[in-house]
Amino acid sequence: MTIFIIVAVVGLALTVLAALVDGIGDALDFAGTGSGIISGASIGGLISGIGFGGWLALTFTDRYWLVAVISGVTGLAVGAAAAGWYQWLKRAQGDEKDLAISGIVGTSGSVRGVSPEDPTSGTVAVTYLGATRIMQFTAPQGLKAGAVVRVTHLLDPETVRVEPLE
């Protein structure tokens, strides 16, 4: 019975580790689809299911063939549940291109400050992904503080080109 408990704990640790440390089970994704069917989480679920199923079966019967069947079925069921859970976690992460800074193009903002030497540059406050971001700007014409602008180009991660909104 002790061996089944150890197997269950090791499998559970593998499942949690695969979910918390992104990419640890990606080497096991032979199809390259990220589906989770063959992933660190699903294999950990299979192992822990075999351990928990064997432990549970041994509490009710002494027939080893029945223990083997119950632990195998439980392992497959827990492995399938872990694969489904892993897929859900992957979908919940969202797409990386949705989080790229290039998505700031087209958003509007307001000029916070203008450079005294060059009124076509300064700082602008732009709301992106729900948070205000202060960035440097360049503009084709001089702007004043408080002007409402739209981002037309991303020049680098901290600098944008803007144009005034009429």
Side-chain angles (χ1 to χ4, degrees):
M1 183 174 293
T2 305
I3 191 71
F4 282 118
I5 293 172
I6 293 170
V7 168
V9 169
V10 167
L12 188 61
L14 239 164
T15 304
V16 171
L17 184 67
L20 293 179
V21 181
D22 190 31
I24 199 157
D26 289 349
L28 301 172
D29 185 14
F30 300 114
T33 61
S35 65
I37 293 173
I38 298 179
S39 64
S42 65
I43 291 175
L46 175 71
I47 293 170
S48 65
I50 289 171
F52 284 126
W55 172 68
L56 184 66
L58 275 177
T59 60
F60 293 113
T61 185
D62 290 337
R63 296 185 180 163
Y64 292 112
W65 68 269
L66 188 56
V67 170
V69 169
I70 291 173
S71 65
V73 169
T74 306
L76 289 174
V78 173
W85 178 58
Y86 182 75
Q87 287 175 338
W88 177 79
L89 284 176
K90 284 296 201 183
R91 282 192 306 273
Q93 285 179 343
D95 195 2
E96 286 185 30
K97 67 181 178 181
D98 294 339
L99 303 176
I101 189 68
S102 60
I104 204 164
V105 174
T107 61
S108 60
S110 63
V111 175
R112 287 283 177 106
V114 178
S115 172
E117 301 87 33
D118 182 13
T120 64
S121 66
T123 57
V124 63
V126 181
T127 301
Y128 180 64
L129 295 176
T132 301
R133 184 177 175 117
I134 307 297
M135 303 181 78
Q136 301 296 315
F137 78 85
T138 63
Q141 63 196 42
L143 297 172
K144 295 184 179 184
V148 179
V149 294
R150 182 179 66 229
V151 176
T152 58
H153 293 88
L154 178 66
L155 303 176
D156 65 50
E158 295 298 323
T159 310
V160 293
R161 180 174 302 275
V162 297
E163 63 181 25
L165 290 176
E166 266 98 54

